[in-house]
Amino acid sequence: QTVRWRIELQPWASPTPSLNYEASRFLKYISTSQITCEHMNLNSLKGYSETTKKPWSICLDERFSLIHRIRSKQCRLYSLGLGNDDNQFELSMANSGCEVHRFDPSIKSAHVQEGRHLWYHRLSIDWRDPNPAIAAHKLHSNTKKLGTVLNEFGHQKIDVLKADVESAEWKILENLILEDVVEQIGQLVFEVHIHWPGFEVSGNDSTVVRYWYSLLRELELKDFRLFHTYKDLSKPQMFLKKEAFNASSCYTLSWVNTRWK
């Protein structure tokens, strides 16, 4: 199998590149569910009445594996964050018997276990591993690709990958797709930020939006289906630094891998 270096870009949304056309295609895409999910929070499990501050929606319908893996206490959640205090979702998943790993470079110790099912790791998940030959990278030796961490932890699969990484999500998602790591994941819950292109995403505005859209289409080609979108109206209404397109700067998107039955 040949290693891919870049994702396939979708054709432009219009005969000539246009931010208006790219933006409307992208925003329509992230606002349209591709599959229906009836049960989307842990409240549908017996004994749960906790509400999380943000709708980190997961699909607990019987036709997908997650609910069965939660019941059999075999589920695994990886949570990628950057100094975020809101860990209600992680606690809820741990309380339901899931093995929860939270990766956050701001944690004081390298690895901390809290309770039976919850671990904190002082690691930042990135789209590249540090190069030991480059002095500057030695400072960031707690930065790793998700595939590297999976190998080091001996984990074959993640039932849910939650990411709130303040604009690093686009390059991380690209890495997961290019290295086929995404196929080891059952559900994705990503906060996406669209007020600026994101870390190391280059090009003019229409090129950036086409890239975002192409990434999400790659997920669809790998049998991921979008089942929930949350438009965060508490965040500035900005799209690539413009007050335009009636867009929030932040959306939380949830996909299920339909190959995981």
Side-chain angles (χ1 to χ4, degrees):
Q1 186 175 346
T2 54
V3 175
R4 294 168 66 194
W5 292 100
R6 58 177 62 88
I7 60 157
E8 292 290 319
L9 288 173
Q10 292 292 320
W12 291 101
S14 54
T16 52
S18 147
L19 178 59
N20 279 349
Y21 278 103
E22 294 303 321
S24 72
R25 174 172 72 171
F26 172 76
L27 290 167
K28 183 180 179 199
Y29 192 81
I30 65 171
S31 306
T32 309
S33 294
Q34 298 167 334
I35 199 168
T36 311
C37 180
E38 304 288 333
H39 306 286
M40 280 194 284
N41 62 29
L42 291 164
N43 299 355
S44 58
L45 296 173
K46 286 193 183 76
Y48 273 92
S49 59
E50 294 171 25
T51 52
T52 54
K53 293 180 199 169
K54 276 185 186 164
W56 299 105
S57 297
I58 49 179
C59 189
L60 297 168
D61 286 4
E62 295 286 337
R63 60 189 164 141
F64 299 120
S65 66
L66 181 58
I67 184 64
H68 306 288
R69 291 176 67 81
I70 289 175
R71 285 184 189 135
S72 63
K73 304 282 191 275
Q74 290 181 316
C75 59
R76 179 179 293 130
L77 164 72
Y78 271 30
S79 166
L80 319 183
L82 293 170
N84 193 327
D85 296 333
D86 180 14
N87 61 353
Q88 196 65 49
F89 176 71
E90 289 80 352
L91 291 171
S92 299
M93 292 292 278
N95 289 339
S96 64
C98 287
E99 176 188 330
V100 176
H101 296 273
R102 177 145 174 93
F103 299 90
D104 184 336
S106 66
I107 290 164
K108 303 264 190 306
S109 313
H111 303 283
V112 180
Q113 184 172 357
E114 280 195 11
R116 281 181 57 199
H117 302 291
L118 180 59
W119 287 264
Y120 289 90
H121 307 280
R122 191 176 59 207
L123 269 174
S124 172
I125 303 298
D126 202 0
W127 56 93
R128 61 204 157 187
D129 285 329
N131 181 343
I134 300 173
H137 281 199
K138 286 184 179 154
L139 302 172
H140 304 289
S141 56
N142 61 347
T143 296
K144 291 179 179 174
K145 294 189 293 193
L146 189 69
T148 304
V149 172
L150 282 170
N151 288 336
E152 288 180 2
F153 284 20
H155 294 162
Q156 300 297 314
K157 292 188 168 183
I158 307 170
D159 293 283
V160 181
L161 176 65
K162 171 199 164 187
D164 180 1
V165 287
E166 308 305 335
S167 299
E169 65 274 356
W170 298 111
K171 293 294 286 184
I172 289 172
L173 190 56
E174 180 187 64
N175 170 255
L176 297 182
I177 290 166
L178 290 178
E179 298 192 353
D180 293 328
V181 176
V182 76
E183 288 157 20
Q184 296 171 253
I185 301 167
Q187 298 192 23
L188 292 169
V189 193
F190 267 55
E191 190 168 277
V192 299
H193 302 84
I194 60 176
H195 56 292
W196 72 292
F199 293 105
E200 294 197 22
V201 177
S202 58
N204 63 20
D205 287 353
S206 52
T207 304
V208 166
V209 183
R210 180 193 184 201
Y211 164 76
W212 289 345
Y213 174 73
S214 300
L215 270 180
L216 302 188
R217 286 299 304 272
E218 288 259 357
L219 279 181
E220 193 181 338
L221 292 170
K222 290 188 178 285
D223 294 314
F224 279 81
R225 296 292 178 267
L226 186 68
F227 65 85
H228 189 255
T229 301
Y230 169 70
K231 180 179 177 179
D232 192 342
L233 295 175
S234 71
K235 296 284 173 71
Q237 304 292 292
M238 297 293 283
F239 188 95
L240 291 175
K241 302 182 180 167
K242 301 174 183 66
E243 290 186 24
F245 309 114
N246 194 23
S248 169
S249 60
C250 181
Y251 291 75
T252 307
L253 307 177
S254 299
W255 293 266
V256 60
N257 181 345
T258 56
R259 288 185 198 176
W260 281 40
K261 298 295 189 199

